[in-house]
Amino acid sequence: MNEFKQQCIKLREKDHTLSEIMQITGRSKTSIYFHIQNIALSSLKQKEIRDASRTRVLDLSQARKGKSKKPFKKFPQWNIQAVSLVAHLLFGGEIQSNKCVYSNRSVALCKKVENSMCLFYDFEPKRRYNKQTGVTSISYFNVELTSYLKHKAKALLIEIEFFPEEFKREFLRAFFDDEGCIDFKPHSGTRRVRGYQKDTTILYLVWKLLRDFNINAKIQLPNEVVISKKENLLKFQKEIGFSIGVKMNGNRPNSVWKKHMEKSDILKKAIDSYGS
């Protein structure tokens, strides 16, 4: 026993760890530890152990990065639902590194986004309602999903110009549902549909897509695309329009109507005000 004790002490003094001594002697952890418990490793050896431990943690974290226990369905081919979902996340939401969020006062639009997401992802979002603003937010927490949707969002902005007409229509409707308004002031004769977008590249893309439907719009810098004149408003109403349930906020101080009104109804009033 004294011989084994001396062997453990000598190995420890040579800066071997408990695990290393176990491998050399073939003895158990508890029998070795009893003999070396009062012999500390050198500061250099302790630093090596800390560095190795940190490396293992980082490697494990990297291996787990982007992995989720909640699978989703990819859409290698675009369809109406996929265009709608990604467009709404682009215009009325955000795609972050670990979640994608959509926010709107319109219950109808939030439901539309949820229904589109259900086709690709089987898990319920986290919902939050802000009583002060009346805005509902739906959030999906999935690293792989958000990474994929971020990639598809970039692709959509590049490819939408070459898509079928019905895809372009869905893209434009999502834009004006989320970023648009109908500006109709009966007393001043103002009649126009406006769409706001801080990214001027997207602003010009919307302008170009409207031309594909023979809708002449103007870019009003820094951040608006504007549709005016009866013929253009009529084409917009027929080809694009606003989704049912999308309303103007009547609680704003500058609200003309002083009540919540559907954008499509205000657009009709604006067009009808031209007369025959």
Side-chain angles (χ1 to χ4, degrees), residues 7 53 80 84 90 108 128 154 157 164 166 182 185 193 195 224 229 267:
Q7 182 187 19
S53 177
I80 291 291
S84 175
L90 272 169
R128 183 169 59 86
K154 291 179 181 179
L157 293 175
E166 61 266 29
I182 170 67
K185 299 181 177 65
V193 170
E224 283 190 326
K229 297 184 179 179
L267 175 60

Side-chain angles (χ1 to χ4, degrees), residues 32-49:
I32 295 170
Y33 181 74
F34 178 78
H35 300 301
I36 66 170
Q37 58 183 317
N38 295 321
I39 306 175
L41 290 169
S42 68
S43 57
L44 179 60
K45 187 69 171 182
Q46 292 180 41
K47 183 178 183 301
E48 289 178 0
I49 294 172

